[in-house]
Amino acid sequence: MAKISNHPRLFAGESDLARLRREPELPAMIQAHTSLMKNADSWLRNTRFTGRGKEQDPSGLMRAREWIDRIVALAAAFLKTGDAKYRRGAIEYIRILDEMKSVELKHENVSRGFWLSDGEESACIGIAYDWLYDSLPEALRRQVRDTIADKCRVVYSASLAGKTGGGLAFQQNHYWYAHLALALGAAAIIDEVPEADQWLAWAWDRFERVA
């Protein structure tokens, strides 16, 4: 398959990454960079979930969102510093997130937040995959790519069946956000997974109906 562009291509290109790697000068950016690195280091040391318990979060959405924050922050910290420990941390949180959804939670027992969660996860892991792409060995790249594809298939299949959270209410956040996130996940792997061009076209069509 022909490549649509090089990686990274989601939210940041090479010129953006060059700015990220420079020491910031504006006070707000200094604070943002300091917070990024502080959080990344903290999440490397402690992988414990700090939010609501399982009994208050049956769909896993709140737990997934905490792992999502950590994955993106660690991937960004790796881009900023080039230190492999942050890349390893991001990959480990992807594993934790995927294990929670595929092992700890049962498909038939989750609430509509499940679909929103899958969409958010496909976007998050897609962004991390895109940002880490050049640094990942092929076997690990394939593993992460397969995880993204699995999550995209969940949202796409649910959408075709009218079972996505929010039903067919285009302006319901469980609907439009899940589809926008599906587009991001698909865009990350579109030149490697044949189905991804269909997922992206479908997600964009759904989102245009919202907009």
Side-chain angles (χ1 to χ4, degrees):
M1 301 177 65
K3 296 184 76 65
I4 61 171
S5 73
N6 295 325
H7 296 276
R9 59 189 181 219
L10 299 182
F11 291 108
E14 283 299 332
S15 61
D16 302 297
L17 299 183
R19 291 202 307 273
L20 175 67
R21 293 177 185 124
R22 291 198 297 267
E23 287 301 315
E25 298 177 357
L26 296 176
M29 294 306 298
I30 291 173
Q31 182 178 354
H33 282 234
T34 300
S35 295
L36 168 67
M37 299 311 302
K38 179 180 178 181
N39 287 336
D41 288 332
S42 173
W43 292 333
L44 280 180
R45 293 191 301 269
N46 183 10
T47 60
R48 184 174 59 85
F49 176 65
T50 60
R52 289 184 283 183
K54 294 180 181 180
E55 68 281 356
Q56 298 172 299
D57 184 29
S59 74
L61 179 58
M62 294 300 103
R63 280 169 285 162
R65 283 177 172 168
E66 184 160 338
W67 304 146
I68 285 169
D69 285 346
R70 297 182 184 198
I71 291 166
V72 174
L74 286 162
F78 170 73
L79 292 181
K80 180 171 174 59
T81 66
D83 192 325
K85 68 182 181 182
Y86 298 115
R87 181 190 62 208
R88 291 193 296 270
I91 295 300
E92 174 62 12
Y93 276 112
I94 290 174
R95 185 197 65 77
I96 291 171
L97 175 59
D98 189 51
E99 183 176 87
M100 181 191 76
K101 294 302 293 293
S102 60
V103 177
E104 294 181 30
L105 296 176
K106 299 299 183 182
H107 177 89
E108 63 273 19
N109 292 333
V110 295
S111 72
R112 68 179 183 173
F114 181 84
W115 306 115
L116 182 59
S117 177
D118 278 299
E120 292 182 13
E121 291 160 33
S122 69
C124 159
I125 302 174
I127 292 167
Y129 178 77
D130 178 56
W131 290 359
L132 302 178
Y133 185 89
D134 290 334
S135 71
L136 297 177
E138 178 52 36
L140 185 53
R141 191 183 294 165
R142 182 169 56 252
Q143 180 181 342
V144 177
R145 183 171 62 238
D146 288 348
T147 299
I148 298 167
D150 287 344
K151 294 182 182 302
C152 286
R153 288 188 186 99
V154 169
V155 178
Y156 181 66
S157 298
S159 182
L160 289 180
K163 294 181 178 179
T164 308
L168 294 176
F170 292 141
Q171 295 189 17
Q172 212 276 351
N173 73 299
H174 284 254
Y175 187 91
W176 68 259
Y177 196 91
H179 284 85
L180 180 60
L182 171 63
L184 286 170
I189 59 175
I190 194 169
D191 43 18
E192 300 172 283
V193 176
E195 300 160 89
D197 59 347
Q198 188 174 14
W199 299 335
L200 180 57
W202 177 260
W204 191 252
D205 176 80
R206 302 295 94 181
F207 192 68
E208 283 189 327
R209 294 169 188 264
V210 176

